[in-house]
Amino acid sequence: MRAFFQGVGKRDYYPQHYLYWGFYQQPYSGGFAHLTDFYRGADDSEARMSQHSQAYIDAGLAHANTDATYPVLQAWLTDVNTPGIGQIPNSGFMLDGSYVRLKNLTLGYTLSPSIASGIGISNLRIYVSGENLAEWSELAGFFDPEAVTDDGYGYRYPFQRRYSVGINVNL
């Protein structure tokens, strides 16, 4: 068995891209579950409550949230090209950029020489191998933590998961 892990133990990351900020940056980019923890000063009125879907109410979005992680939900608030929290990094929105990735895992078995020579083979090894099998990171849902840079973007083609099976035979 052989395993290769790779990672970074301490790294801070400030996201500046709509892939993380969703509606806060671009109103058409989509809402993400982590962004539902935004500030709401009071419960919605009965009239307003009747306009909401049951899923919206069940998610708690119609009720006050005064100790929220994010400010009032407003489009373009985090856009780096307009004034707002996107242009002024805030340590409250800093993410943990550390990660551990299982880059390679190989499991193999070599047949004992006494058994192999009995079937006319000097050496026989069978193995299975996998690359990029697992990753542990706070960023993994949005970015490849290995690809993020200090500018807040994580544009990279993601690592592909690959599997292989093999037999080595020496006659």
Side-chain angles (χ1 to χ4, degrees):
M1 180 177 131
R2 181 183 69 197
F4 174 57
F5 291 89
Q6 182 256 331
V8 172
K10 174 67 175 131
R11 180 207 241 167
D12 291 330
Y13 176 69
Y14 185 78
Q16 293 184 12
H17 196 270
Y18 75 91
L19 291 175
Y20 179 81
W21 287 108
F23 291 138
Y24 275 103
Q25 190 165 50
Q26 297 175 345
Y28 48 82
S29 67
F32 304 111
H34 71 278
L35 297 177
T36 60
D37 187 18
F38 62 89
Y39 178 82
R40 297 176 294 280
D43 290 348
D44 285 351
S45 66
E46 282 296 320
R48 183 89 176 166
M49 198 73 85
S50 67
Q51 297 173 352
H52 297 313
S53 68
Q54 190 59 45
Y56 186 88
I57 295 168
D58 291 345
L61 299 174
H63 302 290
N65 187 11
T66 56
D67 61 344
T69 302
Y70 301 103
V72 172
L73 187 59
Q74 176 184 339
W76 305 109
L77 190 60
T78 63
D79 186 54
V80 295
N81 300 313
T82 57
I85 63 172
Q87 289 185 336
I88 305 168
N90 179 333
S91 63
F93 303 129
M94 193 74 70
L95 300 177
D96 178 7
S98 62
Y99 68 95
V100 174
R101 178 174 274 153
L102 177 55
K103 296 290 273 187
N104 181 278
L105 178 65
T106 302
L107 301 170
Y109 180 76
T110 303
L111 201 60
S112 70
S114 61
I115 296 173
S117 64
I119 57 173
I121 298 172
S122 64
N123 188 17
L124 176 70
R125 181 173 185 265
I126 300 170
Y127 67 90
V128 294
S129 182
E131 295 181 29
N132 300 311
L133 296 176
E135 177 179 278
W136 298 272
S137 170
E138 182 179 312
L139 299 180
F142 301 96
F143 306 103
D144 180 352
E146 202 169 335
V148 296
T149 58
D150 292 335
D151 66 2
Y153 297 95
Y155 284 134
R156 299 291 185 278
Y157 193 72
F159 287 100
Q160 298 299 306
R161 191 168 284 153
R162 296 186 290 184
Y163 304 97
S164 59
V165 176
I167 299 174
N168 294 340
V169 178
N170 294 335
L171 302 173

